[in-house]
Amino acid sequence: MNTLFTPYMVVLIVAAAVATYLTRVGGYVLVKRLKTMPPRLEAALNAVPAAVLTTLVAPAFFAGSIDIKIAMVAALLVGLRFSAIPMLIAGWVVVMVLRQILV
Amino acid sequence: MSRRDPAPRSEFAEGAFKAVPVIISAGPFAILFGAVAVANGQTVAEATLMSAVVYAGASQLVGIELFGQHVPLWIVVLSILAVNFRHILYSAALTPLIDHFTLPQKLLSFFLLTDPQFAETLARGETGHTVTYRWYLGFGAVIYFPWVVMSAIGGLLGKIIGDPAVWGIDVLLPIYFMGLVLGFRRRSNFLLIVVVSGVVSVLAQHLVGAPWHISIGAIAGVALAALLPPKTEATTGEQAP
């Protein structure tokens, strides 16, 4: 590898970093501008994690192949009783087994 | 209640320990990112720099994917903004819990504000603990440094890993996020919000396209929560599952 960094890529990375950091302080700046928290805003903020994270899960499920779908359902069932690591292991085992069978 | 007032050093260790499962499950994505980044034309040094200064896995992968398709820079940055828009909501929701940090501590804390950092910090605050800076930093450091190192390793190993599907790596990210969703299932209107966000994001993915479906789906769920009649039941203080 002769070149470590190309100027274009460094510009892209720095721009991406600045954009990301702005989103990470943005909510704090907004909340500080408001003196009191209206109940509906509080309800909205309360819904943020489930709403946002769902948008990372649902499209992956619908766009995924049948083995991904089955593995995600299996992981969901495991996740109703157990924590993240058993979920990941269950989903991974199911998808690997299915790929052996389906191929 | 000595448990709520532990020694500072144990706070750091407690946070660090809590982050171990996170980096175990996120580690493969750092390796995956490094491998994909190099495959799409970044150098190993650039992939490592990107992990070190952006530090947001999903958006890093989106950015690299678009860069590989020779999309103009401003669209790449805009897409990264769309994927990371949720962080605005995260930092707003987290502010009451970390408002006692000093300003430099807050500025560093917001840099470390990832999905698991948000979820676990909120969970800690809701179980009656004061979220200390040391706990927050311990949790963040144990994710940040391996994330950067594993991105570099992923870049170096890129060619060996080849197709992530062969190793079943592609299924881990959605399951990991699904686990985070389940962690919030005792909140008011959880199921309704999840269904609306899920359906809207899937529709938006087809009608508008990625990465906007993330912001559109999230806004739909959050707007629904704001419009629903306020519930009298407590939304905090429940037992974690």
Side-chain angles (χ1 to χ4, degrees), chain A residues 1 3-32 37 39-63 67-68 71-73 75-76 79-81 84-85 87-92 95-96 99, chain B residues 21 24-25 42-46 49-50 53-56 67 71 73 76-77 80-81 84 86-93 95 99 106-107 110-111 113-115 118 165-168 170-172 174-182 184-185 187 190 193-194 197-198 201-202 205 213-214 217-218 221-222 225-228 235:
Chain A
M1 197 90 50
T3 317
L4 282 180
F5 298 100
T6 55
Y8 178 83
M9 189 56 85
V10 171
V11 169
L12 185 144
I13 290 170
V14 169
V18 170
T20 302
Y21 190 72
L22 287 178
T23 65
R24 283 175 169 156
V25 292
Y28 171 77
V29 173
L30 284 177
V31 166
K32 284 288 150 184
M37 184 80 79
R40 288 195 186 275
L41 179 60
E42 197 174 346
L45 291 177
N46 224 11
V48 167
V52 172
L53 293 166
T54 299
T55 69
L56 303 178
V57 177
F61 177 82
F62 283 100
D67 49 353
I68 295 274
M72 285 180 73
V73 170
L76 175 63
L80 290 174
R81 287 206 68 90
I85 294 295
M87 274 182 85
L88 285 163
I89 293 172
W92 183 78
V95 89
M96 290 305 275
R99 280 172 189 174
Chain B
I24 289 172
S25 49
Q42 276 197 343
T43 65
V44 175
E46 286 165 348
L49 176 70
M50 192 165 187
V53 298
V54 178
Y55 186 50
F67 171 76
V71 170
L73 187 145
V76 178
V77 174
I80 286 174
L81 259 181
N84 287 331
R86 65 188 188 280
H87 292 127
I88 294 179
L89 306 168
Y90 287 176
S91 58
T95 293
D99 214 19
K106 281 181 197 166
L107 293 179
F110 287 125
F111 174 74
L113 186 51
T114 54
D115 298 297
F118 171 70
V166 173
W167 298 89
D170 52 327
V171 80
L172 297 179
I175 289 177
Y176 171 69
F177 288 134
M178 191 160 70
L180 290 181
V181 172
L182 285 179
F184 295 99
R185 68 180 179 272
R187 290 199 174 183
F190 170 81
I193 291 161
V194 163
S197 298
S201 67
V202 170
Q205 190 181 32
H213 67 287
I214 293 176
V222 170
L227 292 173
L228 286 170
T235 53

Side-chain angles (χ1 to χ4, degrees), chain A residues 28, chain B residues 94-102 106 109-110 121 131 136:
Chain A
Y28 171 77
Chain B
L94 217 55
T95 293
L97 291 175
I98 67 166
D99 214 19
H100 58 284
F101 293 5
T102 66
K106 281 181 197 166
S109 298
F110 287 125
T121 302
V131 176
Y136 191 100

Side-chain angles (χ1 to χ4, degrees), chain B residues 32-234:
Chain B
L32 177 66
F33 165 75
V36 172
V38 169
N40 281 5
Q42 276 197 343
T43 65
V44 175
E46 286 165 348
T48 309
L49 176 70
M50 192 165 187
S51 273
V53 298
V54 178
Y55 186 50
S59 72
Q60 286 176 228
L61 282 162
V62 167
I64 280 303
E65 179 75 15
L66 294 175
F67 171 76
Q69 296 168 23
H70 304 285
V71 170
L73 187 145
W74 70 272
I75 293 185
V76 178
V77 174
L78 208 60
S79 303
I80 286 174
L81 259 181
V83 175
N84 287 331
F85 181 78
R86 65 188 188 280
H87 292 127
I88 294 179
L89 306 168
Y90 287 176
S91 58
L94 217 55
T95 293
L97 291 175
I98 67 166
D99 214 19
H100 58 284
F101 293 5
T102 66
L103 186 61
Q105 287 174 348
K106 281 181 197 166
L107 293 179
L108 178 59
S109 298
F110 287 125
F111 174 74
L112 293 172
L113 186 51
T114 54
D115 298 297
Q117 184 91 40
F118 171 70
E120 291 291 353
T121 302
L122 213 60
R124 186 165 177 87
E126 289 188 352
T127 51
H129 290 86
T130 302
V131 176
T132 62
Y133 178 63
R134 282 169 183 267
W135 181 91
Y136 191 100
L137 198 63
F139 188 89
V142 165
I143 303 171
Y144 179 79
F145 291 107
W147 176 263
V148 176
V149 171
M150 284 193 231
S151 300
I153 293 171
L156 295 169
L157 294 183
K159 287 200 168 68
I160 301 170
I161 291 173
D163 181 7
V166 173
W167 298 89
I169 289 171
D170 52 327
V171 80
L172 297 179
L173 195 57
I175 289 177
Y176 171 69
F177 288 134
M178 191 160 70
L180 290 181
V181 172
L182 285 179
F184 295 99
R185 68 180 179 272
R186 283 168 213 280
R187 290 199 174 183
S188 42
N189 300 318
F190 170 81
L191 203 58
L192 209 52
I193 291 161
V194 163
V195 167
V196 166
S197 298
V199 169
V200 171
S201 67
V202 170
L203 289 176
Q205 190 181 32
H206 288 99
L207 298 175
V208 186
W212 301 106
H213 67 287
I214 293 176
S215 298
I216 294 170
I219 287 168
V222 170
L224 173 77
L227 292 173
L228 286 170
K231 288 209 168 181
T232 48
E233 73 179 69

